[in-house]
Amino acid sequence: MLKYLEQSVEEITALHSKLLLLVGPPGSGKSLLLSKLAATTSTTVVKVGAELGRKLASFPHRQRTLQANAMLRELASAHVTNDLLLLDNIELLFDRSLKLDPLDLLKHHAKAHRVVAVWPGGIRNDRLVYAELGHPEYQEYSLDSLVPFELKKFS
């Protein structure tokens, strides 16, 4: 599986948006696979929730919306290695109080660097989804111009 992921990461170099999303149900090994990719590419994995959350905690609640994008940009700049950015635990980006568009943010970063991100949702009816319909953080996106790398749950 790692070999195929490494190949896919090389192939996205030629794309306008160099974003590859690791998609699969909980327990399918997305984070483990990303860690293995980090080891083979001498890159670190950014745990967005913990690192961005820590940075945003120093701001008053009202200013977090204004600071979130800039803080994520700082994190990305600090962790890009060999034109590659690895992101995990991105659920914080879906927090409605931050007023972010998570996929748009990932695509923006993927214009400058190759980005591999663990998507904390799935693919349903040829749509990329996060959360369940009716959940306050529910998001649904077209798969157009996206490169999903799907993992199945280990048996």
Side-chain angles (χ1 to χ4, degrees):
M1 184 70 72
L2 179 60
K3 178 180 160 189
Y4 295 117
L5 178 58
E6 290 172 331
Q7 181 180 349
S8 295
V9 169
E10 286 304 314
E11 290 172 357
I12 63 172
T13 303
L15 300 177
H16 174 67
S17 177
K18 301 173 236 353
L19 174 62
L20 188 141
L21 299 171
L22 294 178
V23 183
S28 60
K30 300 179 298 283
S31 293
L32 178 61
L33 185 58
L34 191 67
S35 294
K36 288 180 179 180
L37 179 64
T40 64
T41 58
S42 301
T43 309
T44 58
V45 175
V46 180
K47 304 221 185 267
V48 175
E51 293 192 42
L52 182 61
R54 190 172 23 258
K55 286 182 172 285
L56 291 176
S58 65
F59 292 96
H61 214 10
R62 287 187 209 136
Q63 288 185 0
R64 291 178 188 170
T65 301
L66 302 171
Q67 297 297 323
N69 198 359
M71 295 291 112
L72 184 60
R73 197 170 32 252
E74 281 180 23
L75 277 173
S77 294
H79 288 86
V80 170
T81 305
N82 300 322
D83 193 43
L84 181 61
L85 177 63
L86 306 179
L87 303 172
D88 198 0
N89 306 112
I90 66 168
E91 290 85 353
L92 180 61
L93 302 179
F94 293 90
D95 185 322
R96 289 283 184 203
S97 69
L98 295 177
K99 299 178 183 171
L100 300 171
D101 181 335
L103 187 59
D104 193 48
L105 272 175
L106 296 175
K107 284 181 175 179
H108 179 74
H109 287 285
K111 288 179 182 174
H113 315 284
R114 295 174 297 161
V115 176
V116 180
V118 171
W119 185 260
I123 296 175
R124 278 187 236 123
N125 301 322
D126 292 326
R127 307 278 295 169
L128 186 67
V129 295
Y130 173 76
E132 295 297 322
L133 190 60
H135 188 280
E137 294 175 351
Y138 177 80
Q139 297 280 333
E140 181 178 317
Y141 302 96
S142 168
L143 285 173
D144 292 346
S145 76
L146 295 177
V147 181
F149 189 94
E150 286 190 84
L151 286 83
K152 305 297 180 200
K153 188 166 183 160
F154 295 128
S155 311

